[in-house]
């Protein structure tokens, strides 16, 4: 397939990744890349395999063949708990917050790898460890403020409207300063006004980080992405600039039955 985009030095890349689950070919030789400093879209109809691509990158799902590369280096065995150390953070398709922790503590948890204390540090309640914890807390508060939800820091997720919970989940992903941020439907269930804000926020985070965005809201995708990959039934069927992709007959055909979705 001919790609209508420059793909120089992707910071994150899947190379011919295939996944078979229960006898079903969920991903079929999927090669996509996120050029450094871009917002790259990954779109496709329901069940196309978008979340599975994220799951492979994060090590939740094992690829039967193919590789994931970060900064050109092959990730051999992907340990989900080490993702943040590698510089990869992710939000889930829902929200996935811990219901018994406050919004602030949920965000702090996103930086837990920065707070690894040795047995000795814990035993002597090392002051530098306490300082580290305070720094993480301050950063978590600052992020909640940046996302305009500083006032909910001490509330439990269940007490918060869904769009606010989505923002807490965003803050949790950001707290570890990822170089690559994977967002799975960040606009799901939010209003048009919130979507405008989200678009501005996303643009404000690049090129400091690179973003791979899975999203069904085409207006948002077309507005914020630099380039887009399109999946259908586990295969990449198109790739290019938003302008190219929205007019590609192959993409329009894939969305048939979901009339108007791609031009929304
Ligand atoms: N653990 C699993 N076992 C078997 N099939 C699975 C599993 N996880 C996902 N699938 C199937 O893989 C296909 C791709 O699912 P995936 O969740 O990646 O799609 P998606 O593009 O994210 O869809 P959506 O837009 O609805 O979120 C679907 O047909 C789904 O039913
Ligand atoms: Mg999905």
């Amino acid at each position: 397939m001919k790609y209508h985009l420059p793909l120089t030095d992707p910071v994150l890349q899947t190379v011919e990744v295939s996944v078979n689950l229960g006898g079903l070919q969920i991903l079929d030789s999927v090669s996509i890349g996120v050029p450094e400093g871009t917002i790259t879209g990954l779109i496709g109809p329901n069940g196309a395999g978008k979340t599975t691509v994220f799951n492979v990158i994060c090590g939740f799902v094992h690829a039967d063949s193919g590789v994931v590369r970060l900064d050109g280096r092959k990730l051999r065995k992907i340990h989900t708990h080490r993702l943040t150390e590698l510089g990869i953070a992710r939000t889930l398709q829902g929200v996935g917050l811990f219901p018994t922790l406050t919004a602030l503590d949920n965000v702090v948890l996103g930086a837990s790898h920065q707070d690894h204390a040795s047995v000795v540090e814990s035993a002597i309640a090392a002051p530098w460890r306490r300082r580290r914890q305070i720094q993480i807390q301050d950063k978590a508060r600052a992020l909640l403020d940046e996302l305009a939800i500083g006032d909910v820091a001490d509330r439990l997720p269940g007490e918060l409207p869904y769009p606010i919970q989505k923002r807490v989940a965003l803050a949790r992903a950001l707290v570890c300063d990822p170089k690559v941020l994977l967002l799975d439907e960040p606009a799901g269930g939010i209003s048009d006004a919130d979507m405008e804000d989200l678009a501005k926020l996303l643009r404000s985070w690049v090129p400091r980080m690179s973003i791979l965005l899975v999203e069904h809201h085409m207006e948002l995708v077309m507005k914020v992405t630099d380039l887009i990959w399109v999946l259908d039934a586990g295969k990449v069927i198109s790739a290019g600039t938003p302008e190219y992709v929205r007019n590609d007959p192959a993409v329009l055909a894939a969305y048939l039955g979901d009339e108007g979705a791609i031009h929304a």
Side-chain angles (χ1 to χ4, degrees):
M1 198 186 104
K2 190 166 175 291
Y3 294 135
H4 297 260
L5 47 91
L7 233 196
T8 49
D9 301 331
V11 60
L12 179 70
Q13 205 179 2
T14 66
V15 185
E16 296 178 8
V17 163
S18 293
V19 170
N20 188 295
L21 292 174
L24 290 173
Q25 194 68 39
I26 309 292
L27 297 180
D28 186 357
S29 199
V30 170
S31 298
I32 67 165
V34 181
E36 183 131 36
T38 64
I39 301 181
T40 296
L42 178 60
I43 66 169
N46 289 117
K50 305 177 297 292
T51 297
T52 306
V53 170
F54 276 18
N55 286 340
V56 169
I57 294 169
C58 296
F60 288 136
V61 167
H62 174 73
D64 297 295
S65 58
V67 294
V68 177
R69 289 184 187 278
L70 183 69
D71 282 328
R73 287 196 353 258
K74 181 175 163 181
L75 296 184
R76 281 177 196 284
K77 188 154 175 17
I78 306 168
H79 298 280
T80 47
H81 61 279
R82 296 203 53 206
L83 277 175
T84 46
E85 285 170 47
L86 290 170
I88 300 176
R90 167 192 192 172
T91 63
L92 299 172
Q93 192 161 339
V95 283
L97 298 173
F98 289 95
T100 55
L101 296 181
T102 65
L104 182 71
D105 287 342
N106 264 285
V107 179
V108 165
L109 208 63
S112 52
H113 77 287
Q114 292 172 10
D115 185 34
H116 279 158
S118 67
V119 176
V120 175
E121 280 180 318
S122 298
I124 64 169
W128 55 88
R129 179 174 182 223
R130 181 77 196 119
R131 270 201 301 279
R132 204 156 62 211
Q133 287 173 324
I134 289 170
Q135 276 169 2
I136 292 172
Q137 287 229 345
D138 287 349
K139 190 162 170 198
R141 277 189 196 283
L143 271 169
L144 290 176
D145 285 341
E146 183 184 338
L147 294 174
I149 50 169
D151 54 328
V152 305
D154 299 323
R155 307 273 294 279
L156 295 174
E159 301 168 350
L160 304 172
Y162 189 74
I164 305 291
Q165 293 184 34
K166 295 280 273 188
R167 286 199 175 210
V168 176
L170 264 181
R172 183 175 60 182
L174 288 168
V175 76
C176 58
D177 284 326
K179 66 178 170 196
V180 183
L181 179 62
L182 310 177
L183 301 177
D184 200 349
E185 300 197 25
I190 72 173
S191 69
D192 287 352
D194 284 333
M195 199 112 63
E196 279 288 314
D197 288 347
L198 181 63
K200 282 188 203 134
L201 281 168
L202 296 184
R203 287 303 331 170
S204 74
W205 296 335
V206 289
R208 182 159 48 100
M209 64 186 83
S210 312
I211 298 175
L212 182 58
L213 172 68
V214 164
E215 187 49 71
H216 282 291
H217 284 91
M218 286 306 141
E219 200 181 320
L220 178 71
V221 173
M222 295 297 160
K223 191 171 181 175
V224 303
T225 56
D226 300 289
L227 67 104
I228 298 174
W229 300 92
V230 188
L231 272 185
D232 185 30
K235 283 192 168 89
V236 175
I237 58 157
S238 182
T241 60
E243 193 54 35
Y244 173 80
V245 159
R246 75 187 306 166
N247 293 305
D248 183 353
V251 178
L252 297 174
Y255 275 93
L256 221 63
D258 196 2
E259 207 56 60
I262 196 73
H263 281 296

